[in-house]
Amino acid sequence: MALARPVVLGNWKMNGLRADGLALAGALADKAAKLSGTLGVFPPATLLGAVARRLEGSGILVGGQDCHERASGAHTGSISAAMLKDAGAQAVILGHSERRHGLGETDALVAAKALAALDAGLRIVVCVGETEQEWLDGRTLERLDTQLRGSIPAGVDADRLIVAYEPVWAIGTGRTPGVDEIEAAHRHLRDRLAGLVTDGQTVPLLYGGSVKSGNASDILAQRSVDGALVGGASLDAREFWAIYQAGGGA
Ligand code: PGA
């Protein structure tokens, strides 16, 4: 099923113990009586089951932050897509820059993980974004093309795919591209997706990188921006909800 706009997803990254995660989930569930858009949280794997249970019936989507490309086997420390699903996840973030750049994940690995996640019945949130040097060199769109082509498996159902444009240099830095740069990148992605995926123009395109309540309305007002992938600001229920509202969500 297509997701209602705005699509605002919170990536909690490696933050929170059980009490924090449950308090945050509870505060969001209290606000989200009847969601007009799509709100989602991506807790650390240790909290996935508890958060999914806490949010049952709230309409808030819950997902994992990564999965292994294999269905099972001798992969110490890794988590399969089916395990995420079993714990209550409906989606998974793949190709986040902290994994691409911090852990050396390639486009091919992201595509393999995407296939595994789709096989397990999850939606995939595929992240793409240029480095600061690529941005300075004016190679943003070229970079996005390569990542998009390399990371998205052929034949993916548009309803199961979300793409997040996250400039590496904007993540956790308080810096963002200008809104017209964001819009241009999204328009470009929309155009490319139409050639890669059947009904690709319907895929939600999220912007991520230092989104806060203070800049969310400007960013989310852009025509080709369907929502946001939020890191730091998603750890505060009021701030996260304010971002969702800034995008027209109620
Ligand atoms: P940030 O992170 O909002 O803290 O910049 C965004 C992300 O990594 O998805």
Side-chain angles (χ1 to χ4, degrees), residues 11 13 96 98 166 170-173 208-212 229-233:
N11 174 8
K13 307 193 179 182
H96 190 280
E98 284 151 18
E166 299 207 305
I171 295 177
T173 59
S210 296
V211 177
K212 313 214 172 330
L229 179 56
V230 186

Side-chain angles (χ1 to χ4, degrees), residues 76-164:
T76 303
S78 297
I79 297 175
S80 74
M83 290 171 182
L84 292 179
K85 179 106 195 297
D86 189 45
Q90 297 143 270
V92 62
I93 295 173
L94 296 172
H96 190 280
S97 79
E98 284 151 18
R99 299 198 64 90
R100 287 182 186 270
H101 297 276
L103 298 166
E105 290 198 0
T106 59
D107 290 340
L109 181 59
V110 175
K113 290 180 174 202
L115 270 181
L118 292 167
D119 268 358
L122 297 173
R123 283 182 196 269
I124 54 173
V125 184
V126 176
C127 305
V128 293
E130 80 287 1
T131 62
E132 181 158 27
Q133 194 56 53
E134 288 163 342
W135 177 63
L136 291 170
D137 293 347
R139 286 166 45 219
T140 297
L141 302 184
E142 187 188 314
R143 185 70 179 135
L144 297 183
D145 280 353
T146 319
Q147 288 186 328
L148 208 59
R149 249 186 288 118
S151 312
I152 292 178
V156 59
D157 180 347
D159 275 359
R160 306 270 299 283
L161 174 65
I162 297 170
V163 171

